[in-house]
Amino acid sequence: MKFFLDTADVSEIREGVAMGLVDGVTTNPSLVAKTGRPFRKVIEEICGLVPGPVSAETVSEDAAGMLAEARELAAIAPQVTVKIPMTLEGLKATKACTQAGIKTNVTLVFQPLQGLLAAKAGATFVSPFVGRLDDVGTPGMDMVADLKEMLDNYGYPTEIIVASIRHTIHVHQAAMLGAHICTVPLKILRGLVQHPLTDSGIRKFLEDSKKIPKG
Ligand code: E4P
């Protein structure tokens, strides 16, 4: 399974990359706004830190505008993946990007058929948002299970990025379903490494190691 960091904070990205677990980065306008920095500068800097795919989101509402943005974003660095919202205009733009050789990540997917349409449009990645569905009382991971089965049924190469991840159980469930990628905040990436029994086990072994006679 690949892990992407879901952040636009370059210090978090540096830390994640140093952990050796980061295969790419996803951003969205809200995450970039939180940094207080200009959008293009942030994306350029992230691309300098991460060799894998870096998602940068379009904000136009029509296909022509999305495609124009996509061309500009894709010119920043080869690993830029243009994030396009799941609308009819977004699907048109995705198809045009695919034809132009621009990598895409269709975002804001909340039901499996939306994901199927993104794959049909040639999306490189599709991002089902599990946490936001859970928030409104609909099990987000059911969407991922159905979408994975649909894409497998037709052999689409589109990779599923499980997004809007709120806790490590989401990552566990995504891995059991064979989703290709989880995009996670740094806090969750750290949480995947840790277990209190590992920590107490290490402490006990270190203490006991001191009791071993030298020689
Ligand atoms: C990633 O592509 C999404 O933008 C992100 O995971 C959304 O997460 P949120 O629901 O916590 O905002």
Side-chain angles (χ1 to χ4, degrees):
M1 168 173 263
K2 286 175 274 187
F3 291 113
F4 289 0
L5 262 192
D6 195 24
T7 182
D9 181 330
V10 288
S11 63
E12 288 189 353
I13 293 167
R14 274 198 199 92
E15 188 179 332
V17 168
M19 288 165 74
L21 294 171
V22 173
D23 301 296
V25 167
T26 52
T27 68
N28 62 38
S30 308
L31 291 171
V32 177
K34 265 210 289 198
T35 69
R37 302 179 60 213
F39 177 70
R40 197 185 162 93
K41 266 200 170 343
V42 171
I43 300 300
E44 282 171 354
E45 201 172 331
I46 296 173
C47 289
L49 297 171
V50 185
V54 172
S55 287
E57 191 153 343
T58 57
V59 288
S60 299
E61 292 186 64
D62 63 304
M66 289 172 188
L67 183 59
E69 281 187 68
R71 289 188 191 284
E72 279 185 26
L73 292 170
I76 294 177
Q79 74 266 47
V80 167
T81 300
V82 179
K83 225 174 173 190
I84 297 178
M86 174 59 222
T87 59
L88 193 51
E89 290 301 299
L91 288 177
K92 290 182 202 166
T94 301
K95 200 165 179 178
C97 283
T98 306
Q99 283 160 356
I102 297 170
K103 292 189 286 292
T104 52
N105 172 3
V106 174
T107 189
L108 290 163
V109 163
F110 291 97
Q111 57 118 323
L113 289 173
Q114 289 181 315
L116 182 74
L117 294 182
K120 192 171 164 56
T124 319
F125 302 104
V126 58
S127 292
F129 277 35
V130 294
R132 292 192 196 187
L133 263 191
D134 288 355
D135 290 347
V136 295
T138 304
M141 218 39 87
D142 290 357
M143 161 181 58
V144 176
D146 286 359
L147 175 57
K148 177 75 173 62
E149 197 172 328
M150 286 178 185
L151 299 192
D152 288 350
N153 283 346
Y154 295 98
Y156 283 118
T158 304
E159 293 190 60
I160 298 174
I161 305 178
V162 181
S164 186
I165 283 184
R166 302 270 195 261
H167 43 68
T168 51
I169 296 170
H170 277 151
V171 180
H172 180 123
Q173 291 169 326
M176 294 303 290
L177 292 172
H180 309 84
I181 301 148
C182 277
T183 189
V184 293
L186 182 61
K187 190 180 78 172
I188 288 179
L189 197 61
R190 288 198 203 103
L192 294 176
V193 179
Q194 291 157 353
H195 195 285
L197 290 177
T198 305
D199 297 342
S200 59
I202 290 170
R203 276 197 302 278
K204 175 82 175 113
F205 285 154
L206 288 180
E207 280 163 25
D208 289 347
S209 75
K210 291 176 194 147
K211 298 175 194 159
I212 300 172
K214 304 256 186 302

